Amino acid sequence: MRILHYWRAMAGIVGRELLRFLHQRERFVSALVRPLVWLFVFAAGFRAALGVAISPPYETYVLYEVYITPGLLGMILLFNGMQSSLSMVYDREMGSMRMLMVCPLPRWFLLCSKLIAGTAVGVLQCYAFLGIAWLYDIQAPLMGYGWILPALVLAGMMLGALGLLLSSFIKQLENFAGVMNFVIFPLFFMSTALYPLWKIKESSPLLYNLAQYNPFSQAVELIRFALYEQFNQQALIYTGAAFLLFMGAAILGYNPSRGMMVKKGG
Amino acid sequence: MSEIALKVSDLSFAYGAKKALDGVGLAVASGECTILLGPNGAGKSTLFSLITRLYDARQGRIELCGFDIKRQSLQALAKLGVVFQQTTLDPDLSVSQNLRYHAALHGIGRKAADARIREELERLQMYERRGEKVRQLNGGHKRRVEIARALLHKPKLLLLDEPTVGLDMPSRRAIVDHVHQLVKQQNLAVLWATHLIDEIADDDSLIVLHKGRVEAGGKLSDVLRDTACADAGQVFQKLTQDPPGVAT
């Protein structure tokens, strides 16, 4: 019976998130517009400026648009993860988070369910983006679109857990804008989403090191390799470890007696 | 002898150096509506946060139907229904969708959930509006839906945190009457935080909380006798010593 309760609760949380997502069409559109602008405008403009040499998983020279597509998938997941945590801060201020926390299930389970729900939305957005990119002639091997699913899920979970962790620290919604600037931009720009590591190394060894150990880079590489039916073990381990670390800290942050909840009051 | 649904003993809590609750003790029995009266800042919200386990108290004990909220939190929370001060319904979803979500969180299957949703909404004359988006409902109707939601999993204790704030008189009256009816018909235990004196019925119990301490507690008639006051308004004035400004 207990397992059935867990299952129903998780289905309820994921279902609610998907319903909310379907009802907020502007959220869906804006989630797609951002990476599409990067793809159509930024990448097209930089195509000439940035040549991308052959490096795994690519077996030939690729257009810059092709190179940044996995990075833009990472961007979708990153924004989605942060937006989910933004909604957690909002939910907490508005009280619906309390509604969730007061139901008779362990908090770690509720947080994991919330995370899975957010990730499901992110993965949907990614596939919609890939569909449009396909029409724009950015086409990966067909099997790659299946391979990419577990990579998107893990990357989404890792970035969502980071957002969850941040949301446990943030007292008010207003503080969130600052965190977005201090988290999203550094994570995104100091990564392999826009330029390959060797290119970064040429310009700055420090930036190269930062980008290499940036968990967002590893998530993007995991996606990049999966899209071309390849398995990047290092990226998988790194992304998985980052997920466990962020998730553990977030659960601690939401613990009623130990974490930030006590300090925040309310 | 009625069953004790909520027992709070020697509960203290502080935000940093500021003490919000100081040695609070109270009990709420089944079939009893207990009004928790206190001015702003008295500690009502803190007490509710501790009972709903938003955070844990370092000192004191809270039991829900005999289950310790810290050690047996899942069993304890299963007995609890809550209506928070702010609306916690999702405005973009329909009444039914909101209620089904709550039922899922409590592990109630779809069929059973639909039956209970019907039962609770019909009791509040809201069943016909189940398909409407919450955004389209007025404040009073939203509150009704929240009460229906809090009762879906058949809790033993219902916590209401100033549920009538911002409502007009007829809506307030309807909610007050409905909750008192539930107490009688379903043997529900209710703890109702408010600062509106006119929400207290003659056979209610009363707890006056002021600056984190329980200043008086018991059946309304007993409290009136002990404090030599004519009504709850006077009790409130006398025990909290606040200037007039309490809505009645």
Side-chain angles (χ1 to χ4, degrees):
Chain A
M1 276 313 279
R2 201 81 200 132
I3 292 172
L4 198 59
H5 183 174
Y6 279 69
W7 167 247
R8 281 174 177 154
M10 186 180 280
I13 293 170
V14 175
R16 174 179 181 257
E17 199 64 32
L18 291 175
L19 261 179
R20 269 163 59 113
F21 183 66
L22 288 177
H23 284 292
Q24 298 171 341
R25 283 197 196 93
E26 61 277 18
R27 190 177 145 196
F28 185 70
V29 172
S30 71
L32 276 181
V33 163
R34 195 180 302 111
L36 286 175
V37 166
W38 277 82
L39 185 66
F40 295 150
V41 182
F42 179 86
F46 272 71
R47 183 196 286 186
L50 292 169
V52 179
I54 302 171
S55 61
Y58 306 109
E59 286 158 0
T60 167
Y61 282 102
V62 290
L63 285 175
Y64 186 58
E65 287 97 320
V66 173
Y67 179 80
I68 72 163
T69 295
L72 296 179
L73 291 171
M75 179 199 232
I76 293 173
L77 296 172
L78 178 65
F79 270 89
N80 187 68
M82 294 300 141
Q83 195 159 12
S84 302
S85 60
L86 179 101
S87 82
M88 300 264 292
V89 177
Y90 178 78
D91 280 357
R92 207 174 51 218
E93 281 196 348
M94 299 315 288
S96 49
M97 191 67 191
R98 292 183 75 176
M99 211 62 240
L100 186 69
M101 292 297 173
V102 93
C103 84
L105 288 167
R107 243 164 235 201
W108 65 263
F109 176 78
L110 294 171
L111 291 172
C112 284
S113 302
K114 200 82 180 143
L115 190 61
I116 290 169
T119 305
V121 169
V123 169
L124 276 180
Q125 290 171 353
C126 283
Y127 274 104
F129 173 76
L130 281 171
I132 298 172
W134 176 277
L135 299 176
Y136 189 61
D137 245 7
I138 298 170
Q139 298 172 351
L142 261 184
M143 287 300 286
Y145 292 93
W147 272 67
I148 204 177
L149 179 64
L152 289 175
V153 169
L154 182 62
M157 297 280 278
M158 187 271 283
L159 295 167
L162 175 63
L164 214 55
L165 173 62
L166 292 173
S167 79
S168 78
F169 282 100
I170 298 163
K171 191 172 172 183
Q172 280 175 325
L173 208 52
E174 292 78 56
N175 299 344
F176 202 84
V179 176
M180 298 283 274
N181 285 336
F182 285 106
V183 176
I184 286 192
F185 289 137
L187 274 183
F188 184 65
F189 288 113
M190 277 191 276
S191 77
T192 56
L194 299 180
Y195 350 88
L197 269 179
W198 63 264
K199 196 101 183 164
I200 301 173
K201 199 176 185 180
E202 272 178 6
S203 51
S204 160
L206 174 69
L207 208 58
Y208 166 75
N209 280 322
L210 286 172
Q212 198 176 11
Y213 295 109
N214 176 355
F216 182 69
S217 287
Q218 301 293 336
V220 168
E221 290 313 302
L222 186 68
I223 296 168
R224 190 189 307 285
F225 276 72
L227 191 58
Y228 291 88
E229 302 167 314
Q230 290 182 42
F231 173 61
N232 186 331
Q233 193 184 12
Q234 188 204 341
L236 176 73
I237 293 171
Y238 202 98
T239 311
F243 164 64
L244 292 176
L245 185 75
F246 295 150
M247 196 60 202
I251 290 170
L252 210 62
Y254 273 94
N255 184 303
S257 53
R258 267 184 301 215
M260 299 304 292
M261 302 302 278
V262 177
K263 286 176 199 159
K264 271 195 285 278
Chain B
M1 181 80 184
S2 48
E3 187 191 339
I4 297 293
L6 171 70
K7 191 174 170 202
V8 175
S9 350
D10 192 28
L11 189 69
S12 294
F13 189 81
Y15 298 106
K18 190 175 172 285
K19 213 156 197 181
L21 291 177
D22 187 6
V24 167
L26 57 92
V28 181
S30 302
E32 188 178 85
C33 180
T34 300
I35 305 287
L36 181 67
L37 209 57
N40 292 336
K44 299 193 295 284
S45 293
T46 304
L47 179 62
F48 272 41
S49 296
L50 294 172
I51 297 173
T52 53
R53 209 170 173 250
L54 187 66
Y55 26 85
D56 284 339
R58 296 216 166 80
Q59 191 197 319
R61 190 177 161 90
I62 299 171
E63 279 176 50
L64 273 148
C65 299
F67 295 112
D68 185 307
I69 191 80
K70 245 194 260 183
R71 291 191 194 89
Q72 300 155 293
S73 57
L74 303 189
Q75 292 100 316
L77 290 173
K79 307 285 181 195
L80 180 68
V82 196
V83 176
F84 289 109
Q85 197 172 344
Q86 289 162 318
T87 298
T88 55
L89 295 165
D90 197 320
D92 292 318
L93 301 186
S94 71
V95 170
S96 288
Q97 285 168 339
N98 268 288
L99 295 183
R100 278 198 200 115
Y101 170 61
H102 181 82
L105 290 180
H106 282 267
I108 304 169
R110 180 68 179 251
K111 220 170 164 184
D114 283 347
R116 286 195 201 170
I117 288 169
R118 181 171 190 151
E119 187 187 336
E120 293 302 333
L121 286 180
E122 275 181 345
R123 214 200 305 274
L124 288 154
Q125 290 96 46
M126 288 292 293
Y127 188 64
E128 300 71 41
R129 308 192 63 176
R130 65 190 181 282
E132 285 182 34
K133 277 194 179 177
V134 167
R135 199 181 288 285
Q136 292 163 330
L137 303 180
N138 66 30
H141 287 149
K142 278 183 197 161
R143 276 308 187 197
R144 288 194 206 182
V145 174
E146 290 201 293
I147 291 174
R149 180 178 64 178
L151 296 171
L152 272 187
H153 58 286
K154 300 206 180 295
K156 298 279 184 212
L157 172 72
L158 180 62
L159 284 189
L160 298 153
D161 190 1
E162 307 200 17
T164 55
V165 164
L167 301 186
D168 58 17
M169 265 315 271
S171 304
R172 275 180 56 199
R173 199 68 258 164
I175 285 173
V176 170
D177 291 346
H178 178 66
V179 171
H180 282 92
Q181 225 174 352
L182 285 172
V183 170
K184 288 199 183 87
Q185 288 172 358
Q186 302 195 6
N187 203 32
L188 193 68
V190 170
L191 181 62
W192 178 310
T194 184
H195 59 276
L196 303 171
I197 308 291
D198 67 341
E199 289 176 352
I200 308 171
D202 291 341
D203 54 352
D204 285 346
S205 293
L206 181 68
I207 292 167
V208 180
L209 196 65
H210 184 48
K211 293 183 177 164
R213 299 179 71 94
V214 173
E215 297 293 340
K219 280 281 173 199
L220 178 61
S221 51
D222 295 341
V223 174
L224 292 178
R225 191 190 59 226
D226 294 347
T227 53
C229 290
D231 55 40
Q234 267 190 20
V235 174
F236 185 84
Q237 287 289 336
K238 188 172 179 178
L239 295 179
T240 60
Q241 294 291 314
D242 282 330
V246 180
T248 54

